[in-house]
Amino acid sequence: FIFLMFTLYNVGLGSIYSSSVLYIEHTLHFSYSNAYFIWGTFIALFFCNSLIGGFCGSKLAHQPAIYIGLLFASLGLIIFAIPHPITLCIGLAIFITGSGFFVPNALSCLGQLFKKNDYRRDSAFTLLLTFSNRSEERRVGKECRSRWSPYH
């Protein structure tokens, strides 16, 4: 279950990673430098917010934090898709909040499935991250080939 949620979450994250600068430049008509400023701010806040979400999840409970995070991340992606500068900022902020709750707490739940010295623990994390990154690679590769390659 955690693997499936993490993989689906990575599809949304990969969509923002791979196409946000183009979306901001071409659809919202921001300048090149402003698009990269927004993207860089998003990346910085994305990684910093994991600390806050992990702390909140450890104080409350990991499983509700995962569901709250997925709800916020999904809502943020939907709002992000509405082509307007205000919805861009609101959507990214909500997605960042959801990501901060989802990612560290999902990994904590995975870690709690195994005892401390269980030899399968490292393998579980390796498989989760490998397959989620691999599925993202394939999706982004298909998108890039279909947009910019004459041989799709």
Side-chain angles (χ1 to χ4, degrees):
F1 182 68
I2 292 174
F3 175 75
L4 176 64
M5 288 190 311
F6 210 83
T7 302
L8 292 175
Y9 165 78
N10 274 344
V11 170
L13 179 62
S15 299
I16 289 181
Y17 267 23
S18 64
S19 60
S20 62
V21 173
L22 294 173
Y23 173 74
I24 294 168
E25 274 187 280
H26 297 290
T27 304
L28 300 177
H29 306 293
F30 278 68
S31 70
Y32 177 80
S33 61
N34 284 343
Y36 273 100
F37 176 76
I38 291 170
W39 189 77
T41 305
F42 163 74
I43 296 299
L45 291 174
F46 174 80
F47 286 108
C48 291
N49 204 25
S50 292
L51 295 171
I52 298 167
F55 178 76
C56 291
S58 68
K59 294 297 179 193
L60 303 170
H62 293 296
Q63 196 167 11
I66 290 172
Y67 293 129
I68 291 169
L70 284 175
L71 177 70
F72 272 71
S74 301
L75 184 63
L77 286 173
I78 291 168
I79 294 172
F80 176 77
I82 300 169
H84 194 275
I86 292 173
T87 58
L88 166 77
C89 296
I90 292 170
L92 286 176
I94 293 173
F95 183 80
I96 288 168
T97 303
S99 297
F101 276 95
F102 174 69
V103 174
N105 292 301
L107 295 174
S108 292
C109 278
L110 180 63
Q112 290 174 354
L113 292 174
F114 302 97
K115 293 182 180 178
K116 277 251 191 239
N117 295 327
D118 193 346
Y119 68 94
R120 299 173 298 168
R121 186 178 180 157
D122 288 338
S123 300
F125 281 105
T126 302
L127 285 173
L128 174 70
L129 296 174
T130 300
F131 285 122
S132 63
N133 289 337
R134 181 63 186 135
S135 66
E136 183 54 36
E137 257 178 44
R138 286 195 337 228
R139 193 199 63 72
V140 170
K142 284 180 187 176
E143 184 176 322
C144 291
R145 282 193 304 272
S146 67
R147 281 191 184 191
W148 296 295
S149 174
Y151 306 107
H152 63 280

